[in-house]
Amino acid sequence: MNIASWLWDWANDGLFGDGFHLFGIGASAYGEAAETYENAALIVDGYDAYVEENGVVLAGDFAYEVTDDETLEVTVETASYADYGAALEVMEQYVDEPAPASYGVWVPGIPVLVGNVLEAAGVADWLAGLINEFQGSWL
């Protein structure tokens, strides 16, 4: 990846997106936590979907679908009931999805900052939505 491509991605995803870890501080720890949480959530959701679809509580192996965010390719993975139990423990450990601001030095992106200012100023929801929508198309 060349430097121009990297800068473009950083500007779009970090500066004009949700934000970024300053100098990468905490980025790897957040990445690991987010991946652990996401994998656990996939197993729990897959098991719950299996039980809902089949009406049977399963104590063995079950299949669940995973969709790749970039290619939208759907693959079928298999997990055991023990994997489900371990995934529930992970979900209980984190309670909520890990927030990047909890890891390292997090710098919010411009849209987040503008949204926070509008909220603090008490701007009506419809107007804040309009401003954020315009800002998103402008940036």
Side-chain angles (χ1 to χ4, degrees):
M1 174 183 287
N2 65 30
I3 190 73
S5 176
W6 179 86
L7 283 172
W8 182 262
D9 288 345
W10 174 81
N12 282 328
D13 297 340
L15 192 58
F16 298 115
D18 292 335
F20 59 95
H21 285 99
L22 185 65
F23 304 121
I25 300 170
S28 63
Y30 167 71
E32 290 174 20
E35 183 178 2
T36 300
Y37 181 87
E38 182 180 342
N39 290 339
L42 286 170
I43 291 173
V44 170
D45 292 346
Y47 182 82
D48 292 346
Y50 179 89
V51 169
E52 184 177 319
E53 187 175 302
N54 297 299
V56 177
V57 175
L58 185 66
D61 292 349
F62 61 95
Y64 62 99
E65 293 182 347
V66 177
T67 304
D68 185 294
D69 291 338
E70 293 180 16
T71 64
L72 300 179
E73 177 185 1
V74 177
T75 58
V76 177
E77 302 287 336
T78 303
S80 67
Y81 188 73
D83 295 334
Y84 173 68
L88 282 177
E89 289 178 12
V90 168
M91 299 290 286
E92 289 173 4
Q93 173 189 353
Y94 285 101
V95 181
D96 289 322
E97 185 174 353
S102 300
Y103 297 85
V105 181
W106 179 255
V107 180
I110 292 172
V112 174
L113 293 173
V114 169
N116 291 343
V117 168
L118 294 173
E119 183 179 329
V123 173
D125 289 343
W126 67 268
L127 182 57
L130 185 65
I131 292 169
N132 277 330
E133 185 66 33
F134 172 73
Q135 168 189 290
S137 64
W138 179 76
L139 296 174

